Amino acid sequence: MSAYPAYLAKRLVQFALVVFIGVNLAFVITHASPIDPVEQSISAVTSFGNTAPEAIAAMRTSLQELYGLKGSLGEQYFTFWSRVLRGDFGPSLSAFPTPVSALIGRALPWTAGLLIVSTLITWVLGNLLGGLAGYYQRNRTLKLMGVVAMGVHPIPYYIVALLLLIVFGFLWPVLPITGGSAMNLQQGWNWPFVSSVLLHSILPALSLILIGLGSWFLGMRSLVSNIVTEDYVVYAEIAGLDSRRVLGSYVMRNALAPQVTGLAMSLGGIFNGAVITEKVFGYPGVGTLLVDAVYAGDYGLVLGVTTVSIIAVSVGVLVIDLLYPLIDPRVELR
């Protein structure tokens, strides 16, 4: 592990570069939008009656300061970065005067819990079943799983979400189809609220698991199918080692390295599916917040959600990249 400090420094530089480029793109895209939050707010206020021009001018100046849109584009850029560093994105237009950071803070735990649980379940099940299918290639049940995985994998997230919504919401209404928990429950670490959260998260998590399972299954099956032909695996089998030991110590362990890397790379794509899934099920996460902000033309909220998402995904990838070489010292540091 003598090369780990250099590996750590390289990954930290990559992390900083990714965050810098991603946040800059969020700034450019939101500023390229034809929606002007200042003028939209003024229009909403003045639509109810006549307002003095002096009052409108004062309102415009105040709103520009609130949304960080005062001055030239360069001044707005530096104001934006200062707000990012402070975690202050100004007030929300659609929920004025609630700060954007407060809205994101309420929604982020819902999305984080949903994504972490569904991702871990998908990764573990997909790799376990895929490894078994690649090693026991004559097993009919595992062959059938491979066929199902190839059939389900190309289906979009929202199609699966809508099918689950129809089946468990209307044809067989046994699960809640909207919201993050039952109404009129006190939020906290009490069993009625926790059980309600778990029950409401089943369908959103299931839609993510069903789609993500196929790619991990097929990828692991392909890796294991190649590894079982290696000389050291053949020698271990000829030597009479137990098949479970060969599968766990010689095959699965060597096949997991690229799968862990793939887990880190897939974190960014998971958020895209969560946006659609959360909106379909009315789940109170960051995805629903982002879609509602886009519809409402809430400039500050869109910018805040996008920036926080970029940073969160980058941090997740960085943590996995840094921890995996410590867990498995055989990983080559590059």
Side-chain angles (χ1 to χ4, degrees):
M1 297 301 291
S2 59
Y4 189 77
Y7 173 81
L8 173 62
K10 183 179 179 180
R11 287 293 180 265
L12 289 175
V13 171
Q14 290 178 347
F15 165 76
L17 185 61
V18 168
V19 171
F20 181 75
I21 294 175
V23 174
N24 281 336
L25 286 175
F27 174 82
V28 171
I29 292 173
T30 50
H31 275 71
S33 171
I35 299 175
D36 187 336
V38 173
E39 297 302 325
Q40 187 171 349
S41 300
I42 293 175
S43 176
V45 172
T46 57
S47 62
F48 294 100
N50 295 327
T51 306
E54 296 81 5
I56 294 177
M59 185 187 304
R60 182 177 287 109
T61 302
S62 299
L63 290 173
Q64 286 175 344
E65 291 180 356
L66 282 174
Y67 293 115
L69 299 175
K70 188 176 182 180
S72 64
L73 186 61
E75 292 173 337
Q76 294 178 30
Y77 176 76
F78 287 109
T79 300
F80 164 69
W81 268 107
S82 67
R83 288 190 167 192
V84 170
L85 296 176
R86 298 195 312 267
D88 176 20
F89 297 96
S92 168
L93 173 64
S94 57
F96 189 86
T98 306
V100 168
S101 56
L103 295 176
I104 296 175
R106 296 173 192 168
L108 196 57
W110 294 94
T111 296
L114 177 65
L115 291 185
I116 290 173
V117 173
S118 61
T119 301
L120 290 177
I121 292 175
T122 304
W123 190 81
V124 171
L125 284 180
N127 285 306
L128 178 61
L129 296 176
L132 293 173
Y135 189 74
Y136 300 106
Q137 298 180 8
R138 296 182 180 180
N139 188 288
R140 293 183 179 180
T141 302
L142 295 173
K143 283 183 178 180
L144 179 61
M145 288 184 182
V147 174
V148 174
M150 286 188 289
V152 173
H153 175 58
I155 301 176
Y157 282 98
Y158 61 89
I159 296 297
V160 175
L162 289 173
L163 287 175
L164 293 175
L165 191 67
I166 293 172
V167 172
F168 293 102
F170 299 97
L171 299 180
W172 189 32
V174 294
L175 292 173
I177 60 175
T178 185
S181 64
M183 298 179 64
N184 302 324
L185 283 179
Q186 182 180 0
Q187 296 190 8
W189 293 105
N190 54 82
W191 177 243
F193 177 72
V194 172
S195 61
S196 179
V197 169
L198 293 175
L199 191 63
H200 281 73
S201 66
I202 291 177
L203 290 183
L206 189 59
S207 66
L208 295 172
I209 291 171
L210 290 176
I211 294 300
L213 194 64
S215 61
W216 293 118
F217 178 94
L218 296 174
M220 192 63 173
R221 187 181 67 174
S222 177
L223 289 169
V224 171
S225 297
N226 292 328
I227 291 176
V228 293
T229 60
E230 296 290 339
D231 293 339
Y232 63 89
V233 177
V234 175
Y235 180 80
E237 292 175 338
I238 294 175
L241 291 180
D242 185 71
S243 61
R244 289 176 295 181
R245 182 179 177 185
V246 174
L247 176 62
S249 301
Y250 294 88
V251 178
M252 293 283 285
R253 190 175 179 183
N254 289 297
L256 277 177
Q259 293 296 83
V260 172
T261 303
L263 174 63
M265 296 176 63
S266 67
L267 288 176
I270 289 174
F271 180 76
N272 296 331
V275 171
I276 302 173
T277 302
E278 287 183 2
K279 189 60 182 176
V280 170
F281 292 104
Y283 199 75
V286 176
T288 300
L289 190 66
L290 177 60
V291 174
D292 291 341
V294 171
Y295 285 146
D298 194 336
Y299 163 88
L301 188 53
V302 171
L303 190 57
V305 171
T306 306
T307 303
V308 170
S309 301
I310 292 170
I311 296 174
V313 170
S314 301
V315 169
V317 174
L318 177 67
V319 170
I320 292 177
D321 282 345
L322 295 183
L323 289 181
Y324 190 59
L326 300 176
I327 297 173
D328 192 348
R330 300 173 303 160
V331 175
E332 182 181 355
L333 299 180
R334 293 183 293 177

